Amino acid sequence: MNNKKFSLGSVVGIASVVLVLGYFLFRTAPQAVPQARDNMHSSSGASVSNSVLNSLIGKPLPNIQLTDKNGKIYTAESFKGKNTVLFFNEGLMCYPACWNQIAMFGSDARFNTDTVQALSVVMDSSSEWQSAIEKMPELAKSKTLFDVDGDTSRKLGLLTLPSSMHRGSLPGHSYIVLDRNGIVKEVRDDPNMAIANDLLIEKIAKF
C-alpha cells in the first residue's frame, strides 16, 4: 500500500515538474519571425503605417524638387507621361540591399521602356554617389535622383516609416508609384528590403 502511494506521489510530482519546465521553456523560446507580406497600398490593399504617405494615394505628388547628376531639376510634372516608380532609400548607407534594388531597376528592361520608368532617390550628393558606382558599376545603369537636403523625403513622410533604420534622418526602403498622369497609385514601405521588381510590374499592369 505504501509502495502504491509512493508511486502515485512520484508520478504526480514528476508531472508537476514537467509542466512547470514546459511552461518556462515556452515563455523563453524564440518566437517565429512573420513572413514578409505584400504591403503595397491601394484602395483595397493594406496600408503602410504612415498617414502622410497614405494620404498621397489618388492624388498628384505635392510640389517636390529633385536633381540628377547633371543638376537637371525634376518636379512632379517631370514624371508625367510614364508609369513611374520612385524608390526612396538610404543610398550609401544601405549596402547591399538598396544597392541591389537600384542595380536591378537599371538592368530590368521592364523599367526602361516608353511607358514605364524607375528612378531611385538618395540623399547623398552626386559626387558621393559616384563612389558607390565605382564599387558596384551596375549602379550606373540605373536612373538616380538626388534629394540632398532631404526636403522631398521629409515632405512625403518617408523619414519615419518602419523601414527607416536612421529614423528622422534618412528614408529606408520605400516606393511611390505614379501613373502616366502623375497620380500616386501605390505606395510601399518594405522593412525586409527585398527586390520588388515583379510585384511593382504586377501593380503597374493593373493601372
Side-chain angles (χ1 to χ4, degrees):
M1 184 68 175
N2 289 336
N3 288 338
K4 289 183 179 181
K5 287 184 179 179
F6 176 78
S7 299
L8 181 58
S10 298
V11 170
V12 172
I14 292 171
S16 298
V17 171
V18 170
L19 287 173
V20 171
L21 286 175
Y23 172 76
F24 282 105
L25 286 173
F26 175 78
R27 288 290 301 273
T28 57
Q31 299 300 305
V33 177
Q35 296 297 310
R37 60 176 180 155
D38 171 13
N39 63 345
M40 187 76 78
H41 176 100
S42 66
S43 59
S44 60
S47 64
V48 297
S49 56
N50 184 281
S51 58
V52 176
L53 187 58
N54 287 342
S55 70
L56 300 175
I57 297 295
K59 303 173 184 176
L61 276 181
N63 185 30
I64 63 169
Q65 184 169 302
L66 302 165
T67 59
D68 67 11
K69 63 181 180 180
N70 299 314
K72 178 182 176 181
I73 295 174
Y74 286 72
T75 65
E77 289 292 316
S78 305
F79 307 122
K80 290 185 177 180
K82 289 187 178 184
N83 295 311
T84 300
V85 177
L86 296 176
F87 172 49
F88 289 80
N89 63 91
E90 290 183 353
L92 289 176
M93 297 286 288
C94 187
Y95 174 85
C98 300
W99 293 25
N100 288 340
Q101 175 63 89
I102 293 170
M104 284 295 292
F105 278 142
S107 62
D108 191 332
R110 297 175 296 175
F111 291 93
N112 299 278
T113 72
D114 292 336
T115 58
V116 180
Q117 64 180 345
L119 300 101
S120 300
V121 182
V122 300
M123 284 177 54
D124 309 295
S125 68
S126 177
S127 58
E128 289 171 333
W129 188 243
Q130 185 59 37
S131 67
I133 293 175
E134 291 171 1
K135 294 178 181 177
M136 183 185 281
E138 299 93 325
L139 293 172
K141 297 180 180 180
S142 178
K143 299 173 184 177
T144 304
L145 301 180
F146 302 95
D147 180 28
V148 178
D149 54 14
D151 281 351
T152 292
S153 297
R154 194 172 298 107
K155 182 178 291 186
L156 299 178
L158 298 168
L159 301 183
T160 55
L161 294 174
S163 69
S164 302
M165 291 187 289
H166 300 272
R167 190 175 181 84
S169 300
L170 294 171
H173 204 91
S174 307
Y175 308 83
I176 296 177
V177 188
L178 314 171
D179 67 12
R180 298 181 191 182
N181 297 314
I183 303 300
V184 178
K185 302 293 287 187
E186 306 281 349
V187 296
R188 172 180 171 82
D189 183 62
D190 183 14
N192 295 318
M193 297 189 172
I195 301 297
N197 290 31
D198 290 344
L199 176 61
L200 292 165
I201 286 295
E202 179 185 330
K203 298 293 183 178
I204 289 171
K206 297 177 180 178
F207 291 177

